[in-house]
Amino acid sequence: MLMLAFLSLVGCATEAVLPMNAKIVPQERVLVKGDGDAQLVITRDKGWLVGGSCFTTLTLDGAHIARIGTGETLTYKVKAGRHILGIADDPKGGGLCGLGDGKPYKETSTVISSSETQRFRISGDTNTGLDIRPTSN
């Protein structure tokens, strides 16, 4: 009963973090070095109710590129053109965090021009889980 009261006060969604206020994903969790003159800035919300204790795997065109935690951001170099950016379970995670198969479960498509920067947000709530979407922040 106390937990339900607590959840009604704090809500069940994650909270947006501006990239400039987020922690940078450590290099040891960047699995593949980016290449190109365009860049994607991916920032994961903070909050613990939706996978908050686990890393989420970022995918680019189906390949695992990084493991991102809550409140973290990654600036990733890409070549101009069409790309599929996604999020997946963390197959390198320990305990319950490692139960997924690492296949992308949410993806979004983007076309990026040379020297362009595009921003994406990983957010979530208890109804839909984590999601990745373009953002203006």
Side-chain angles (χ1 to χ4, degrees):
M1 183 72 98
L2 183 59
M3 184 60 147
L4 287 175
F6 173 74
L7 290 177
S8 68
L9 291 174
V10 299
C12 295
T14 56
E15 182 182 339
V17 177
L18 293 174
M20 68 190 94
N21 297 332
K23 297 173 283 187
I24 296 171
V25 173
Q27 277 304 116
E28 62 267 14
R29 284 196 271 120
V30 178
L31 308 174
V32 178
K33 186 175 187 235
D35 180 37
D37 68 343
Q39 61 184 11
L40 303 172
V41 178
I42 305 110
T43 305
R44 184 173 170 188
D45 285 3
K46 62 182 179 178
W48 57 272
L49 285 176
V50 185
S53 62
C54 299
F55 294 122
T56 296
T57 300
L58 290 172
T59 64
L60 182 68
D61 301 327
H64 292 192
I65 62 167
R67 300 168 69 216
I68 188 170
T70 58
E72 291 184 336
T73 192
L74 175 70
T75 300
Y76 198 78
K77 299 282 189 183
V78 296
K79 293 181 179 173
R82 181 177 182 270
H83 296 282
I84 305 289
L85 185 62
I87 52 176
D89 296 319
D90 180 17
K92 294 184 177 190
L96 294 176
C97 295
L99 291 179
D101 59 11
K103 293 181 181 171
Y105 56 84
K106 298 279 177 86
E107 294 179 306
T108 188
S109 175
T110 189
V111 176
I112 192 165
S113 301
S114 182
S115 300
E116 183 181 7
T117 297
Q118 291 185 7
R119 291 173 174 75
F120 292 84
R121 175 182 173 201
I122 300 172
S123 62
D125 65 46
T126 54
N127 292 323
T128 59
L130 291 177
D131 199 4
I132 185 165
R133 300 283 178 163
T135 184
S136 59
N137 293 327

